[in-house]
Amino acid sequence: MRVKNIRTLLDYPLDLVKEWLQFQDTNSPSQLHISKIDELVKTMCLAWAADKCDHPNHTESLYQKLVVDAVVNGADELTAISTWMQQLQTAKTGAV
């Protein structure tokens, strides 16, 4: 459910999720260890952000701060990802 909700939020193609799962020798996120699900979520988020920021290191650093650290501190993951997405879009708009 977690992967589905995040995939929907990011409008990430289902085919790419299925392909990623095949590389993990599974066909369902529920069969993965939590660390692999975290990796899939990060992959989806960074793929979404690829054209939003000119500096991938900045994108990943913001992801770590606004999503990973926030969730560790008890924030809702979808809310944290939404905040991160808004930050990147605001930064891109402000830079133009």
Side-chain angles (χ1 to χ4, degrees):
M1 199 64 180
R2 174 184 172 201
V3 170
K4 180 183 179 191
N5 290 338
I6 294 168
R7 186 188 67 75
T8 301
L9 175 68
L10 297 168
D11 195 24
Y12 192 80
L14 181 58
D15 290 348
L16 293 180
V17 172
K18 289 178 178 178
E19 186 178 307
W20 191 92
L21 290 170
Q22 286 175 345
F23 282 115
Q24 304 302 316
D25 293 325
T26 187
N27 57 8
S28 170
S30 63
Q31 298 171 338
L32 295 172
H33 185 272
I34 188 75
S35 65
K36 287 292 183 183
I37 294 172
D38 291 344
E39 186 181 322
L40 173 57
V41 167
K42 182 177 181 178
T43 298
M44 290 190 298
C45 287
L46 295 181
W48 173 88
D51 65 345
K52 310 289 187 288
C53 186
D54 297 331
H55 307 287
N57 291 342
H58 178 69
T59 302
E60 195 162 344
S61 154
L62 266 181
Y63 177 82
Q64 179 67 40
K65 182 174 129 189
L66 296 176
V67 178
V68 177
D69 294 350
V71 170
V72 165
N73 290 319
D76 175 70
E77 187 174 39
L78 285 176
T79 302
I81 291 172
S82 291
T83 301
W84 173 76
M85 291 168 74
Q86 289 170 356
Q87 285 278 87
L88 289 178
Q89 288 173 323
T90 301
K92 182 74 171 179
T93 305
V96 175

